[in-house]
């Protein structure tokens, strides 16, 4: 008698859901699913800097695989950071405990922009592609691997501001006072991101997510004319590879339609918009990802489970839903709460 094979796990439901297909159960992963809320991650960070974890493929692989085992999520996401290609373009990046990323030599002038490289990812970031290959091997087909990049506007804002920002005055001044310089900067970043994501796909990434984490700071008009077209260019090229593209604009409730119109397969939603309202606005042709408030993980278990069901119920069993938080999981959360979230999503009857 042949050995009875396990029923194929519902894992590849993630890729099917990204493509708007019907699935047996709603797939789930969590933004920042590998990170400081995990004791194992914190233990590794005692021995290595964050950049070491990003740049040593065996460590990046180990960290990427942690939540797949621990939470039973339906996708892995490459462990890295959106600022890795910024460094490869020639802008030094430092991760500080207190202030997050710091770019000590921000990009402000025509000379600064002229000096920026459009790097060959294989030459300047080989560790990323090596990590992608090692992770695929480690996953053994169990769940798909998501690659990612920051979107041009968010990367530009880091480069011009020199770090995080509250008002984005520096980048907005450049946009409005020196539009040609802004365009030259966006051109270089867009070319870099496009090559970088294509290299990840070539190495084995099975979906990609573009993070436009700070584009919510733009008015809808400026998002449409000054940020979205650059993301759209990247998405158009990536879609030729056949991998699904997820586009997440944090605080993007005011520009959902424009995010969809960049051509992404999946629109990421934060928690400031109700998923049923978002789906009505977006129409049937696009999938969505989200959108539980990350702080829901602080609720007592029963209430957390109820909140998870609320999101699923509001989606009204429409195909094309990938469950996620509305932003990254916070370091203060417990692994147990993340496990409850995944469990409740998986229990939900479609
Ligand atoms: O989702 C994942 O699990 C993959 C890993 C990942 C990280 N950063 C790890 C990380 C991803 C996809 C990112 C993307 C990223 N990085 C974004 C876009 C997503 C978002 O949150 O909107 C942004 C804006 C960054 C820039 C960045 N990196 C900031 C602002 C910080 C400091 C704040 C913080 O959370 O610590 C980082 C550092 C960072 N990136 C950490 C991790 C796990 C913490 C580093 C540490 O161990 O100290």
């Amino acid at each position: 008698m042949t050995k009875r094979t396990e029923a194929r796990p519902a894992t590849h439901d993630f890729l099917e859901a990204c493509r708007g297909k019907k699935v047996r159960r709603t797939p789930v992963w969590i933004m920042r699913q590998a990170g400081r809320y995990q004791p194992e991650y914190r233990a590794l960070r005692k021995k290595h800097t964050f950049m070491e974890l990003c740049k040593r493929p065996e460590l990046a692989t180990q960290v990427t695989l942690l939540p797949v085992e621990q939470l039973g999520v339906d996708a892995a996401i490459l462990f890295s950071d959106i600022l890795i290609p910024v460094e490869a373009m020639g802008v030094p990046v430092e991760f500080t405990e207190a202030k997050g990323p710091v770019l000590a030599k921000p990009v402000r002038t025509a000379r600064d922009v002229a000096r920026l490289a459009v790097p060959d990812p294989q030459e300047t970031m080989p560790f990323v592609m090596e990590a992608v290959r090692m992770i695929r091997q480690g996953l053994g087909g169990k769940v798909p691997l998501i690659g990612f990049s920051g979107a041009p506007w968010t990367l530009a804002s880091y480069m011009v501001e020199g770090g995080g920002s509250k008002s984005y005055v520096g980048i907005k001044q450049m946009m409005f006072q020196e539009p040609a310089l802004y365009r030259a900067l966006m051109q270089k970043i867009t070319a870099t991101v496009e090559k970088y994501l294509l290299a990840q796909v070539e190495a084995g990434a099975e979906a990609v997510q573009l993070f436009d984490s700070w584009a919510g700071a733009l008015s809808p008009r400026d998002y449409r004319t000054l940020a979205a077209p650059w993301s759209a260019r990247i998405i158009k090229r990536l879609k030729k590879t056949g991998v699904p593209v997820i586009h997440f604009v944090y605080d993007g409730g005011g520009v959902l339609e424009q995010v969809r119109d960049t051509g992404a397969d999946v629109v990421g939603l934060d928690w400031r918009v109700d998923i049923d309202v978002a789906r009505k606005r977006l129409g049937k042709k696009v999938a969505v990802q989200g959108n539980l408030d990350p702080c829901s993980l602080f609720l007592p278990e029963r209430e957390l489970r109820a909140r998870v069901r609320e999101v699923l119920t509001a989606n009204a069993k429409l195909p094309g839903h990938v469950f996620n938080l509305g932003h990254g999981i916070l370091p203060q959360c417990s692994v147990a709460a993340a496990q409850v979230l995944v469990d409740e999503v998986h229990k939900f009857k479609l």
Side-chain angles (χ1 to χ4, degrees):
M1 208 174 92
T2 50
K3 209 174 123 211
R4 192 171 157 268
T5 44
E6 289 267 317
R8 212 168 73 110
T11 49
H12 295 49
D13 284 351
F14 166 74
L15 294 173
E16 293 296 282
C18 287
R19 298 188 174 109
K21 303 261 171 62
K22 272 199 155 176
V23 289
R24 288 158 292 184
R25 64 178 192 186
T26 303
V28 51
W29 68 280
I30 300 177
M31 288 190 275
R32 292 272 173 104
Q33 63 190 15
R36 285 163 300 180
Y37 77 103
Q38 295 171 301
E40 298 82 355
Y41 178 87
R42 292 196 299 270
L44 270 169
R45 278 284 280 109
K46 285 207 177 118
K47 288 191 267 175
H48 307 282
T49 65
F50 174 62
M51 277 299 202
E52 269 171 359
L53 296 186
C54 292
K55 291 185 178 174
R56 285 177 48 188
E58 73 284 3
L59 293 175
T61 300
Q62 192 184 343
V63 174
T64 300
L65 297 178
L66 268 177
V68 176
E69 282 303 316
Q70 196 166 50
L71 308 180
V73 282
D74 299 298
I77 181 160
L78 167 71
F79 187 82
S80 186
D81 197 82
I82 59 166
L83 297 174
I84 293 285
V86 169
E87 194 181 44
M89 290 179 79
V91 183
V93 177
E94 208 193 320
F95 284 90
T96 63
E97 283 309 319
K99 286 201 286 181
V102 174
L103 293 70
K105 292 184 197 155
V107 176
R108 302 266 163 86
T109 65
R111 263 187 65 185
D112 296 339
V113 173
R115 267 204 293 257
L116 292 173
V118 176
D120 176 345
Q122 312 290 354
E123 266 169 35
T124 54
M125 301 171 272
F127 49 86
V128 172
M129 274 48 80
E130 186 56 26
V132 169
R133 286 186 287 269
M134 283 176 75
I135 296 162
R136 280 293 305 270
Q137 209 166 29
L139 287 169
K142 197 170 158 214
V143 297
L145 173 63
I146 307 168
F148 73 88
S149 172
W153 200 83
T154 291
L155 296 184
S157 74
Y158 269 113
M159 290 166 88
V160 175
E161 303 285 343
S165 172
K166 283 216 163 68
S167 55
Y168 303 92
V169 172
I171 178 79
K172 289 189 180 185
Q173 263 183 323
M174 186 190 278
M175 266 166 43
F176 294 146
Q177 294 180 338
E178 296 180 273
L181 184 58
Y182 173 75
R183 266 198 306 279
L185 174 61
M186 292 298 268
Q187 237 146 20
K188 282 193 164 175
I189 296 174
T190 300
T192 299
V193 170
E194 186 176 303
K195 284 189 187 190
Y196 180 52
L197 284 175
L198 285 171
Q200 289 182 32
V201 171
E202 201 180 307
E206 293 156 285
V208 294
Q209 176 156 329
L210 258 188
F211 286 91
D212 219 348
S213 304
W214 308 146
L218 292 166
S219 69
R221 175 194 197 287
D222 291 332
Y223 176 75
R224 188 177 68 248
T225 56
L226 294 166
W230 303 99
S231 294
R233 192 183 290 192
I234 294 163
I235 290 167
K236 194 170 173 197
R237 177 64 190 89
L238 262 130
K239 283 183 71 171
K240 288 191 191 154
T241 67
V243 307
V245 181
I246 309 166
H247 191 9
F248 174 61
V249 176
Y250 177 62
D251 208 354
V255 292
L256 287 184
E257 295 81 357
Q258 285 103 305
V259 178
R260 174 199 59 202
D261 293 344
T262 60
D265 299 279
V266 186
V267 173
L269 306 172
D270 77 9
W271 66 95
R272 295 174 182 87
V273 58
D274 283 324
I275 194 167
D276 48 342
V277 174
R279 297 217 73 160
K280 275 199 197 95
R281 282 172 58 189
L282 290 169
K284 291 208 171 111
K285 289 198 189 122
V286 78
V288 296
Q289 176 175 279
N291 71 341
L292 189 70
D293 180 349
C295 288
S296 306
L297 292 172
F298 299 131
L299 287 164
E301 181 176 334
R302 268 172 56 101
E303 286 174 58
L304 168 58
R305 286 186 186 272
R307 296 290 183 112
V308 169
R309 287 195 304 272
E310 265 175 39
V311 171
L312 290 160
T313 305
N315 183 65
K317 305 196 180 181
L318 285 177
H321 179 213
V322 174
F323 197 98
N324 207 317
L325 295 175
H327 203 192
I329 186 168
L330 296 161
Q332 299 86 344
C333 286
S334 72
V335 170
Q339 285 167 331
V340 164
L341 178 151
V342 172
D343 178 61
E344 194 61 28
V345 176
H346 282 163
K347 271 190 188 152
F348 191 79
K349 293 271 182 298
L350 281 182

